[in-house]
Amino acid sequence: MTPAPILPGIHHVTAITADAQKNIDFYCGVLGLRLVKLTVNFDDPGSYHLYYGDELGRPGTIMTFFAWPGAPRSRVGPPQVTAIAFAVPANSLDYWSSRLKSHEVTSADRLGERAIRFSDPDGIALEVVATAEPGGEARTRGPVPAEHAIRGFHSVILSEEGYESTAKALTELMGFTAAGSEGNRFRYRAGAGNGFASVVDLLCVPDARHGQMGAGVVHHVAFRTSDDPQQAAWRERIVRAGLNVSPVMDRNYFHSIYYREPGGVLFEIATDNPGFAVDEPADRLGRTLKLPAQYEGFRSEIERVLPKVRLPE
Ligand code: ZN
Protein backbone atom coordinates (compact mmCIF):
# COMPACT_ATOMS: atom_id res chain seq x y z
CA MET A 1 0.00 0.00 0.00
CA THR A 2 1.22 3.53 -0.78
CA PRO A 3 2.29 5.65 2.20
CA ALA A 4 -0.63 7.16 4.12
CA PRO A 5 -1.47 10.83 3.62
CA ILE A 6 -0.85 13.08 6.62
CA LEU A 7 -3.05 12.39 9.63
CA PRO A 8 -2.18 14.74 12.48
CA GLY A 9 -4.13 12.96 15.22
CA ILE A 10 -7.44 13.10 17.05
CA HIS A 11 -10.07 15.62 15.88
CA HIS A 12 -12.91 14.91 18.34
CA VAL A 13 -14.47 12.22 20.49
CA THR A 14 -18.26 11.75 20.65
CA ALA A 15 -20.06 10.01 23.51
CA ILE A 16 -23.62 9.62 24.79
CA THR A 17 -25.06 11.25 27.89
CA ALA A 18 -28.48 10.71 29.48
CA ASP A 19 -28.51 14.18 31.09
CA ALA A 20 -27.49 17.30 29.17
CA GLN A 21 -27.49 19.54 32.24
CA LYS A 22 -25.24 17.32 34.36
CA ASN A 23 -23.00 16.94 31.34
CA ILE A 24 -22.67 20.72 30.85
CA ASP A 25 -22.08 21.29 34.57
CA PHE A 26 -19.31 18.68 34.63
CA TYR A 27 -17.42 19.42 31.41
CA CYS A 28 -17.59 23.21 31.85
CA GLY A 29 -17.83 23.62 35.61
CA VAL A 30 -15.43 20.88 36.72
CA LEU A 31 -13.12 20.18 33.77
CA GLY A 32 -13.10 23.81 32.65
CA LEU A 33 -13.77 23.20 28.96
CA ARG A 34 -15.75 25.76 26.98
CA LEU A 35 -19.17 24.90 25.56
CA VAL A 36 -18.34 25.87 21.97
CA LYS A 37 -21.59 24.79 20.32
CA LEU A 38 -25.13 24.07 21.42
CA THR A 39 -26.90 22.35 18.55
CA VAL A 40 -28.98 19.28 17.75
CA ASN A 41 -28.03 15.84 16.53
CA PHE A 42 -28.26 16.31 12.74
CA ASP A 43 -29.64 12.75 12.41
CA ASP A 44 -32.11 13.22 15.31
CA PRO A 45 -32.98 16.93 15.67
CA GLY A 46 -35.13 16.39 18.78
CA SER A 47 -32.00 15.86 20.87
CA TYR A 48 -28.99 18.02 21.73
CA HIS A 49 -25.50 17.69 20.36
CA LEU A 50 -23.12 19.42 22.79
CA TYR A 51 -19.58 20.38 21.81
CA TYR A 52 -16.84 21.31 24.29
CA GLY A 53 -13.27 22.36 23.65
CA ASP A 54 -10.66 25.01 24.15
CA GLU A 55 -11.51 28.68 23.57
CA LEU A 56 -12.21 28.10 19.84
CA GLY A 57 -12.94 24.38 19.86
CA ARG A 58 -9.77 23.61 17.93
CA PRO A 59 -9.38 20.09 16.50
CA GLY A 60 -7.68 17.91 19.12
CA THR A 61 -9.65 19.51 21.97
CA ILE A 62 -13.25 18.73 20.97
CA MET A 63 -15.32 16.47 23.23
CA THR A 64 -18.90 16.07 22.02
CA PHE A 65 -22.05 14.44 23.37
CA PHE A 66 -25.32 13.24 21.98
CA ALA A 67 -27.83 13.87 24.79
CA TRP A 68 -30.39 11.10 24.87
CA PRO A 69 -32.60 11.57 27.95
CA GLY A 70 -33.70 8.22 29.29
CA ALA A 71 -31.30 6.34 26.98
CA PRO A 72 -31.07 2.66 27.94
CA ARG A 73 -28.14 1.85 30.17
CA SER A 74 -25.21 0.77 28.13
CA ARG A 75 -22.39 -1.63 28.70
CA VAL A 76 -18.76 -0.66 28.46
CA GLY A 77 -16.75 -3.31 26.69
CA PRO A 78 -15.00 -4.20 23.46
CA PRO A 79 -15.05 -3.04 20.76
CA GLN A 80 -15.31 0.54 22.08
CA VAL A 81 -13.33 3.58 23.11
CA THR A 82 -13.41 2.75 26.84
CA ALA A 83 -11.44 5.72 28.20
CA ILE A 84 -10.52 9.23 27.09
CA ALA A 85 -7.33 10.91 28.32
CA PHE A 86 -6.77 14.68 28.48
CA ALA A 87 -3.32 16.28 28.51
CA VAL A 88 -2.34 18.70 31.28
CA PRO A 89 1.06 20.25 32.09
CA ALA A 90 3.53 18.00 33.91
CA ASN A 91 3.19 19.76 37.29
CA SER A 92 -0.62 19.86 37.30
CA LEU A 93 -1.56 16.38 38.50
CA ASP A 94 -1.75 17.33 42.20
CA TYR A 95 -4.04 20.21 41.31
CA TRP A 96 -6.35 17.86 39.38
CA SER A 97 -6.29 15.14 42.07
CA SER A 98 -7.47 17.70 44.57
CA ARG A 99 -9.98 19.34 42.19
CA LEU A 100 -11.52 15.95 41.42
CA LYS A 101 -11.37 14.54 44.94
CA SER A 102 -15.14 13.99 45.11
CA HIS A 103 -14.96 11.91 41.89
CA GLU A 104 -13.17 8.80 43.18
CA VAL A 105 -9.81 9.44 41.58
CA THR A 106 -7.46 6.50 41.12
CA SER A 107 -3.92 6.36 39.80
CA ALA A 108 -3.58 5.33 36.16
CA ASP A 109 0.20 5.59 35.63
CA ARG A 110 1.42 3.74 32.52
CA LEU A 111 4.25 3.67 30.01
CA GLY A 112 6.34 6.05 32.11
CA GLU A 113 3.56 8.64 32.39
CA ARG A 114 1.71 9.81 35.49
CA ALA A 115 -2.04 9.84 35.13
CA ILE A 116 -5.22 9.79 37.19
CA ARG A 117 -8.57 8.25 36.34
CA PHE A 118 -12.10 9.25 37.29
CA SER A 119 -15.60 9.10 35.78
CA ASP A 120 -17.95 11.66 34.30
CA PRO A 121 -21.59 11.79 35.52
CA ASP A 122 -22.63 9.06 33.04
CA GLY A 123 -19.80 6.79 34.15
CA ILE A 124 -17.48 7.38 31.18
CA ALA A 125 -13.86 6.73 32.19
CA LEU A 126 -11.72 9.86 31.86
CA GLU A 127 -8.06 10.39 32.57
CA VAL A 128 -5.81 13.36 33.05
CA VAL A 129 -2.22 12.70 31.98
CA ALA A 130 0.77 14.80 33.06
CA THR A 131 2.55 15.71 29.84
CA ALA A 132 5.91 17.45 29.49
CA GLU A 133 4.80 19.16 26.29
CA PRO A 134 0.99 19.06 26.37
CA GLY A 135 0.63 21.22 23.25
CA GLY A 136 -2.57 23.10 22.53
CA GLU A 137 -3.47 26.43 24.10
CA ALA A 138 -4.52 26.93 27.68
CA ARG A 139 -7.89 28.56 28.28
CA THR A 140 -7.43 31.78 30.20
CA ARG A 141 -11.13 31.98 31.07
CA GLY A 142 -13.17 29.42 32.95
CA PRO A 143 -12.92 27.94 36.43
CA VAL A 144 -9.50 26.25 36.04
CA PRO A 145 -6.36 28.44 36.27
CA ALA A 146 -4.62 28.64 32.87
CA GLU A 147 -1.43 27.03 34.21
CA HIS A 148 -3.38 23.81 34.96
CA ALA A 149 -5.99 23.92 32.19
CA ILE A 150 -6.71 20.89 30.03
CA ARG A 151 -4.93 21.47 26.72
CA GLY A 152 -6.79 18.93 24.66
CA PHE A 153 -6.70 15.18 24.23
CA HIS A 154 -3.70 13.11 25.14
CA SER A 155 -5.15 9.84 23.81
CA VAL A 156 -8.08 7.57 23.34
CA ILE A 157 -8.03 4.08 24.81
CA LEU A 158 -9.73 1.38 22.72
CA SER A 159 -10.70 -1.98 24.19
CA GLU A 160 -10.55 -4.77 21.63
CA GLU A 161 -11.06 -8.51 21.70
CA GLY A 162 -7.79 -8.88 19.85
CA TYR A 163 -5.53 -6.01 18.88
CA GLU A 164 -3.70 -7.18 15.74
CA SER A 165 -6.22 -6.26 13.04
CA THR A 166 -6.78 -2.81 14.57
CA ALA A 167 -3.03 -2.31 14.93
CA LYS A 168 -2.62 -3.18 11.27
CA ALA A 169 -5.31 -0.67 10.25
CA LEU A 170 -3.69 2.05 12.37
CA THR A 171 -0.18 1.45 11.03
CA GLU A 172 -0.61 0.29 7.43
CA LEU A 173 -3.79 2.16 6.54
CA MET A 174 -3.66 5.27 8.74
CA GLY A 175 0.07 5.94 9.09
CA PHE A 176 0.41 5.48 12.87
CA THR A 177 3.63 4.09 14.34
CA ALA A 178 3.98 1.65 17.23
CA ALA A 179 5.10 3.57 20.32
CA GLY A 180 5.55 0.98 23.06
CA SER A 181 3.57 -1.52 25.05
CA GLU A 182 3.00 -2.56 28.65
CA GLY A 183 1.03 -5.64 29.64
CA ASN A 184 -2.05 -5.75 27.42
CA ARG A 185 -1.68 -2.09 26.36
CA PHE A 186 -0.28 -1.37 22.89
CA ARG A 187 0.42 2.25 21.99
CA TYR A 188 0.32 3.91 18.56
CA ARG A 189 1.09 7.49 17.63
CA ALA A 190 -0.19 9.44 14.62
CA GLY A 191 2.66 9.41 12.11
CA ALA A 192 2.77 13.06 11.16
CA GLY A 193 1.53 14.49 14.45
CA ASN A 194 3.44 17.00 16.57
CA GLY A 195 2.61 14.91 19.63
CA PHE A 196 -0.60 16.78 20.40
CA ALA A 197 -3.72 14.60 20.65
CA SER A 198 -1.90 11.93 18.68
CA VAL A 199 -2.01 8.73 20.76
CA VAL A 200 -4.22 5.66 20.43
CA ASP A 201 -3.81 2.93 23.04
CA LEU A 202 -5.21 -0.51 22.29
CA LEU A 203 -6.16 -2.65 25.27
CA CYS A 204 -6.37 -6.31 24.39
CA VAL A 205 -9.22 -7.78 26.48
CA PRO A 206 -10.17 -11.12 24.86
CA ASP A 207 -12.29 -12.30 27.79
CA ALA A 208 -14.29 -9.12 28.40
CA ARG A 209 -18.03 -9.04 27.77
CA HIS A 210 -18.97 -7.16 24.61
CA GLY A 211 -20.10 -3.57 25.00
CA GLN A 212 -23.49 -2.15 24.13
CA MET A 213 -24.27 1.35 22.85
CA GLY A 214 -26.18 3.73 25.13
CA ALA A 215 -25.68 6.47 27.69
CA GLY A 216 -22.27 6.33 29.31
CA VAL A 217 -20.51 4.93 26.25
CA VAL A 218 -18.30 6.53 23.63
CA HIS A 219 -19.95 6.51 20.20
CA HIS A 220 -16.91 7.15 17.98
CA VAL A 221 -13.52 8.82 17.66
CA ALA A 222 -12.69 11.20 14.82
CA PHE A 223 -9.25 11.82 13.37
CA ARG A 224 -8.13 15.00 11.64
CA THR A 225 -7.56 15.81 8.03
CA SER A 226 -6.74 19.28 6.75
CA ASP A 227 -9.29 19.79 3.98
CA ASP A 228 -11.77 18.27 1.53
CA PRO A 229 -9.25 17.03 -1.08
CA GLN A 230 -7.21 15.28 1.64
CA GLN A 231 -10.40 13.74 2.96
CA ALA A 232 -11.31 12.49 -0.53
CA ALA A 233 -7.87 10.86 -0.72
CA TRP A 234 -8.48 9.20 2.64
CA ARG A 235 -11.88 7.98 1.48
CA GLU A 236 -10.39 6.36 -1.60
CA ARG A 237 -7.63 4.78 0.46
CA ILE A 238 -10.10 3.28 2.95
CA VAL A 239 -12.27 1.89 0.14
CA ARG A 240 -9.17 0.33 -1.42
CA ALA A 241 -8.38 -1.32 1.92
CA GLY A 242 -11.72 -3.13 1.65
CA LEU A 243 -13.55 -1.26 4.41
CA ASN A 244 -17.03 0.23 4.05
CA VAL A 245 -16.89 3.99 4.34
CA SER A 246 -19.75 6.50 4.37
CA PRO A 247 -20.17 9.29 1.83
CA VAL A 248 -18.93 12.72 2.95
CA MET A 249 -21.41 14.17 5.48
CA ASP A 250 -21.70 17.92 6.07
CA ARG A 251 -21.62 18.46 9.83
CA ASN A 252 -21.61 22.28 9.43
CA TYR A 253 -18.46 22.70 11.57
CA PHE A 254 -16.50 20.04 9.67
CA HIS A 255 -17.03 17.44 6.96
CA SER A 256 -16.99 13.79 7.94
CA ILE A 257 -16.56 10.25 6.66
CA TYR A 258 -17.18 7.21 8.85
CA TYR A 259 -15.94 3.64 8.80
CA ARG A 260 -15.60 0.77 11.23
CA GLU A 261 -12.03 -0.32 11.90
CA PRO A 262 -11.56 -4.11 11.65
CA GLY A 263 -11.93 -4.58 15.42
CA GLY A 264 -15.35 -2.90 15.33
CA VAL A 265 -14.85 0.63 16.72
CA LEU A 266 -16.48 3.41 14.70
CA PHE A 267 -13.84 5.78 13.27
CA GLU A 268 -14.42 9.11 11.55
CA ILE A 269 -12.11 11.36 9.56
CA ALA A 270 -13.13 15.03 9.92
CA THR A 271 -11.80 18.17 8.27
CA ASP A 272 -10.18 20.92 10.36
CA ASN A 273 -12.37 23.53 8.68
CA PRO A 274 -14.66 25.42 8.75
CA GLY A 275 -14.74 25.28 12.56
CA PHE A 276 -17.18 26.58 15.16
CA ALA A 277 -17.09 30.27 14.26
CA VAL A 278 -18.85 29.53 10.96
CA ASP A 279 -22.34 30.36 12.32
CA GLU A 280 -21.71 32.64 15.35
CA PRO A 281 -18.94 34.99 16.47
CA ALA A 282 -15.95 33.38 18.23
CA ASP A 283 -16.60 35.33 21.43
CA ARG A 284 -20.24 34.16 21.55
CA LEU A 285 -19.75 30.43 20.90
CA GLY A 286 -22.25 28.15 22.62
CA ARG A 287 -24.51 30.90 23.96
CA THR A 288 -27.61 30.09 21.88
CA LEU A 289 -29.07 27.08 20.09
CA LYS A 290 -27.67 26.86 16.56
CA LEU A 291 -29.49 24.82 13.93
CA PRO A 292 -28.32 23.70 10.50
CA ALA A 293 -30.22 25.29 7.60
CA GLN A 294 -32.41 22.22 7.02
CA TYR A 295 -33.90 22.53 10.54
CA GLU A 296 -34.12 26.32 10.93
CA GLY A 297 -37.74 26.25 9.68
CA PHE A 298 -38.64 23.88 12.53
CA ARG A 299 -36.95 25.93 15.26
CA SER A 300 -40.01 26.48 17.43
CA GLU A 301 -40.98 22.77 17.38
CA ILE A 302 -37.40 21.75 18.11
CA GLU A 303 -37.07 24.22 20.98
CA ARG A 304 -40.31 22.89 22.43
CA VAL A 305 -39.10 19.28 22.62
CA LEU A 306 -35.54 19.99 23.81
CA PRO A 307 -35.13 20.04 27.61
CA LYS A 308 -34.25 23.49 28.96
CA VAL A 309 -30.60 23.77 29.99
CA ARG A 310 -28.74 26.31 32.12
CA LEU A 311 -25.66 27.41 30.21
CA PRO A 312 -22.32 28.21 31.87
CA GLU A 313 -21.55 31.87 32.62
ZN1 ZN B 1 -17.99 12.74 15.01
Side-chain angles (χ1 to χ4, degrees):
M1 192 170 274
T2 51
I6 292 172
L7 191 151
I10 299 164
H11 184 285
H12 67 265
V13 179
T14 295
I16 302 166
T17 177
D19 189 324
Q21 187 67 60
K22 281 187 186 157
N23 192 259
I24 292 170
D25 293 347
F26 182 79
Y27 282 89
C28 297
V30 178
L31 294 191
L33 304 182
R34 184 179 187 193
L35 180 68
V36 292
K37 195 64 64 182
L38 180 70
T39 185
V40 294
N41 183 336
F42 289 8
D43 300 321
D44 174 18
S47 63
Y48 282 118
H49 193 174
L50 306 164
Y51 289 83
Y52 307 95
D54 70 0
E55 208 54 37
L56 291 176
R58 292 177 182 88
T61 75
I62 309 162
M63 182 72 218
T64 103
F65 283 88
F66 299 136
W68 294 347
R73 290 317 297 177
S74 53
R75 193 163 60 231
V76 173
Q80 281 172 3
V81 173
T82 50
I84 301 154
F86 295 101
V88 299
N91 62 354
S92 294
L93 223 49
D94 292 345
Y95 169 86
W96 280 99
S97 294
S98 127
R99 183 171 181 83
L100 294 162
K101 62 178 179 297
S102 59
H103 294 267
E104 294 182 33
V105 175
T106 56
S107 164
D109 296 355
R110 69 297 181 94
L111 288 162
E113 292 169 330
R114 289 185 60 221
I116 54 171
R117 176 176 275 231
F118 49 98
S119 297
D120 86 350
D122 286 286
I124 294 174
L126 301 178
E127 296 175 348
V128 166
V129 183
T131 313
E133 290 176 40
E137 293 183 35
R139 273 199 83 191
T140 52
R141 287 181 275 184
V144 176
E147 59 183 308
H148 298 308
I150 286 175
R151 298 296 189 83
F153 296 114
H154 170 277
S155 51
V156 286
I157 294 100
L158 276 59
S159 290
E160 303 272 9
E161 222 175 323
Y163 79 100
E164 289 90 347
S165 63
T166 305
K168 199 167 169 210
L170 287 173
T171 53
E172 293 181 14
L173 176 63
M174 297 171 66
F176 281 67
T177 49
S181 68
E182 187 176 270
N184 67 337
R185 179 185 295 261
F186 300 86
R187 174 160 292 186
Y188 298 85
R189 195 178 288 279
N194 58 2
F196 171 67
S198 64
V199 171
V200 172
D201 278 356
L202 302 182
L203 291 184
C204 186
V205 288
D207 299 326
R209 209 166 156 211
H210 267 224
Q212 204 171 301
M213 205 42 76
V217 158
V218 176
H219 191 268
H220 64 267
V221 53
F223 299 96
R224 296 173 60 183
T225 190
S226 51
D227 54 25
D228 294 331
Q230 282 281 321
Q231 184 178 58
W234 272 110
R235 193 174 183 288
E236 211 181 298
R237 184 174 172 85
I238 295 161
V239 169
R240 265 190 280 118
L243 298 175
N244 291 316
V245 55
S246 78
V248 176
M249 319 275 253
D250 183 358
R251 298 312 191 188
N252 255 13
Y253 313 109
F254 42 83
H255 303 149
S256 300
I257 56 173
Y258 302 85
Y259 57 104
R260 233 168 251 290
E261 55 84 19
V265 177
L266 187 60
F267 278 7
E268 172 182 347
I269 292 180
T271 54
D272 280 358
N273 288 321
F276 293 103
V278 71
D279 61 355
E280 57 188 343
D283 61 350
R284 300 285 301 158
L285 295 180
R287 305 304 302 165
T288 55
L289 179 71
K290 302 307 291 183
L291 295 175
Q294 68 267 34
Y295 297 136
E296 200 50 70
F298 303 97
R299 177 174 281 272
S300 57
E301 289 90 327
I302 288 172
E303 286 181 341
R304 203 162 45 239
V305 300
L306 289 173
K308 296 281 164 283
V309 285
R310 226 173 29 256
L311 298 178
E313 289 304 308

